[in-house]
Structures are given as structure tokens and as C-alpha cells.
Amino acid sequence: MTNAMKLKSTLFATLFAGASTVAMAQGVEFATVDTDGDGMLSMDEIKTLLPDVPDDQLVAADANGDGMLDEAEYQVLTGG
């Protein structure tokens, strides 16, 4: 396992450790959070719904590192 993969695994573990903060969003559909309808969630859109989620959890959820969450990444974040 490469160092990058280990880091990503650690970040995902951190994400799931803080799942209680994110649990509020379970059941909230992606389209509801995607207020501008572009098919991606900006960090501002996420922070509006989940203001208490630590930034490191959002970074961990952003698997492709583009600074936004697609629907699959959002599902990982919310446990959906």
C-alpha cells in the first residue's frame, strides 16, 4: 500500500469516526443539497447543510480531490 493510499485510508477512518455529525444528513437527497443544480456539491453547499462537519472529513470524502463532492462521494460522507 502506498503512502497516499494509507493517508486516504486514515482520512476515511476519520470520516467514519465522526459519523454522528454527518448522521444529520442521512436521508437528505443529493439533489436537495445541490442548490445550483450543477450535479456537484461545492464545499459551501455542504457547509450550509452540515456546518459542523470538520474540513478534514470533507477532504476525505472528496475521493478524486477536485474540491467538490459528486453524488457517490456525498453518499460516502453521509453513509447513504
Side-chain angles (χ1 to χ4, degrees), residues 4-19 22 41 43 46-47 53-79:
M5 291 173 70
K6 287 178 186 176
L7 177 61
K8 193 62 97 172
S9 294
T10 300
L11 289 173
F12 273 109
T14 301
L15 168 71
F16 289 114
V22 179
L41 300 180
M43 293 305 155
I46 294 288
K47 285 294 195 175
V53 175
D55 289 341
D56 63 334
Q57 288 184 359
L58 295 176
V59 170
D62 182 17
N64 65 4
D66 66 356
M68 302 183 81
L69 300 184
D70 60 27
E71 190 164 359
E73 292 167 332
Y74 175 75
Q75 295 303 323
V76 169
L77 178 67
T78 61

Side-chain angles (χ1 to χ4, degrees), residues 30-31 34-42 45 68-73:
F30 180 85
D34 184 17
T35 56
D36 63 8
D38 68 353
M40 300 293 288
L41 300 180
S42 69
E45 288 171 316
M68 302 183 81
L69 300 184
D70 60 27
E71 190 164 359
E73 292 167 332

